[in-house]
Amino acid sequence: MGAGIAQVAARAGYEVVMRDVAQEFLSRGMTAIDKSLQRDVDKDRLSTDEKGAILARIRTTTDVGAVSDAFIVVEAATEDLKIKSEVFRTLDEVTQPDAILASNTSSISITKLGAVTRRPDKVIGMHFMNPVPVMKLVEVIRGAATSDETYGRTRTLAEKLGKMPLECQDSPGFISNRVLMPMINEAICALYEGVATRESIDGIMRLGMNHPMGPLALADFIGLDVCLAIMNVLHDGFGDSKYRPCPLLKRYVDAGWLGKKTGRGFYEY
Ligand SMILES: NC(=O)c1ccc[n+]([C@@H]2O[C@H](COP(=O)([O-])OP(=O)(O)OC[C@H]3O[C@@H](n4cnc5c(N)ncnc54)[C@H](O)[C@@H]3O)[C@@H](O)[C@H]2O)c1
């Protein structure tokens, strides 16, 4: 997701610093960006020179201090409150006091992330969809302390990136995953109970509901660890058993079958 966000920002003309904890993840991200832009070159939607210029606007680093001049930082680290809290604490130290600190989290409370900083008014959710270069939506989430000014600046940035920002309040799963993830979880439960095969479940939802992808294929694409983390946030946040993660989802995550990124999930890749 971080690579996708860096790509759309650089394509919109912004200078981007892409930071990760190790060089291998940065290299993987740059390869993904290169491939995605090359597809546009092959389809005559981008010139080779433009592709080169976009890539040249992205600088990679493992040094968090390299983002010190940024007017906005979009955090897209692993979906884990402890990791994200630590990232926000550090960003609060190293960035300019008026910089916006945004999170691409799928479900973690923006209010909680804001509370670990000295600028909760400048902390906001900027939830891009996957794949970032293709999907139009940015769900913009306001924490309890997010100011109108921060919201306005974030909205404007999303529009400059060619996206459609839609606002929602900070609540478990926001809107996107509160509605999407229980559907995916239910599809996994139906598979677990042997109600239908994976092909039938996905086919019924594609052909019957006009979804571009079936829920099991979509879960593999999102990452089963991410799906489980989101179900846990819904379950804990609402305290309602209707959000209980399906045992089969837990079993796959325990086995390391995380979907497309590990070569195996509900399908093999
Ligand atoms: N996968 C999706 O479809 C999707 C969609 C929307 C939002 N998101 C959200 O985007 C975020 C990232 O998801 P992803 O699927 O790209 O996960 P991922 O596991 O593929 O990537 C996470 C990256 O964060 C890096 N990271 C870990 N700790 C870090 C730290 N302290 N500082 C900097 N980088 C760190 C990891 O090395 C890794 O490269 C999560 O919050 C997730 O919920 C994911």
Side-chain angles (χ1 to χ4, degrees):
M1 290 299 291
I5 296 164
Q7 180 181 328
V8 297
R11 190 159 183 168
Y14 292 98
E15 295 291 332
V16 180
V17 175
M18 185 162 79
R19 190 255 166 181
D20 206 309
V21 288
Q23 186 55 45
E24 59 178 298
F25 304 122
L26 293 165
S27 305
R28 198 192 300 162
M30 285 309 290
T31 305
I33 294 171
D34 192 289
K35 258 189 174 165
S36 169
L37 293 174
Q38 188 56 42
R39 268 196 297 275
D40 281 348
V41 171
D42 294 343
K43 288 180 184 157
D44 287 330
R45 291 198 291 233
L46 192 72
S47 73
T48 309
D49 283 356
E50 283 166 335
K51 179 189 161 196
I54 295 167
L55 290 173
R57 282 197 284 275
I58 305 174
R59 188 153 60 89
T60 61
T61 182
T62 54
D63 170 20
V64 73
V67 305
S68 60
D69 288 334
F71 70 91
I72 184 166
V73 180
V74 184
E75 167 278 319
T78 315
E79 187 74 348
D80 179 298
L81 177 62
K82 241 178 97 189
I83 293 175
K84 289 193 191 287
S85 298
E86 196 44 53
V87 170
F88 271 75
R89 228 173 265 125
T90 309
L91 288 174
D92 194 32
E93 295 292 326
V94 302
T95 56
Q96 302 300 316
D98 63 341
I100 292 178
L101 304 181
S103 177
N104 184 50
T105 179
S106 305
S107 60
I108 289 172
S109 163
I110 300 301
T111 306
K112 279 187 189 165
L113 294 178
V116 305
T117 72
R118 291 161 301 179
R119 59 179 102 179
D121 57 313
K122 296 192 180 65
V123 173
I124 194 161
M126 206 175 178
H127 185 204
F128 289 84
M129 304 292 126
N130 190 6
V132 182
V134 177
M135 302 294 281
K136 266 304 237 192
L137 174 70
V138 176
E139 193 177 32
V140 180
I141 304 112
R142 300 179 71 137
T146 308
S147 69
D148 289 343
E149 193 204 340
T150 299
Y151 173 69
R153 285 167 67 195
T154 306
R155 221 191 128 79
T156 304
L157 174 66
E159 283 164 354
K160 284 190 178 158
L161 300 184
K163 304 296 181 196
M164 168 64 84
L166 289 174
E167 180 185 1
C168 99
Q169 298 300 320
D170 193 16
S171 170
F174 317 133
I175 291 295
S176 52
N177 281 312
R178 180 177 179 166
V179 176
L180 172 69
M181 217 37 86
M183 183 195 71
I184 287 178
N185 194 52
E186 201 59 35
I188 299 169
C189 286
L191 182 73
Y192 184 51
E193 291 165 17
V195 180
T197 62
R198 61 186 187 183
E199 288 80 8
S200 279
I201 293 170
D202 277 355
I204 286 165
M205 297 306 286
R206 270 191 298 108
L207 303 174
M209 318 301 154
N210 229 1
H211 290 190
M213 241 177 165
L216 299 173
L218 180 56
D220 278 357
F221 185 66
I222 293 170
L224 302 191
D225 52 338
V226 176
C227 293
L228 180 59
I230 296 169
M231 284 311 296
N232 282 329
V233 166
L234 292 173
H235 197 211
D236 295 346
F238 290 113
D240 189 328
S241 62
K242 76 177 176 181
Y243 299 111
R244 188 173 68 101
C246 176
L248 188 64
L249 174 61
K250 287 187 179 168
R251 194 192 296 169
Y252 272 49
V253 172
D254 285 344
W257 301 334
L258 305 184
K260 214 168 169 207
K261 62 185 168 189
T262 58
R264 176 168 182 182
F266 295 110
Y267 294 86
E268 297 76 37
Y269 301 89

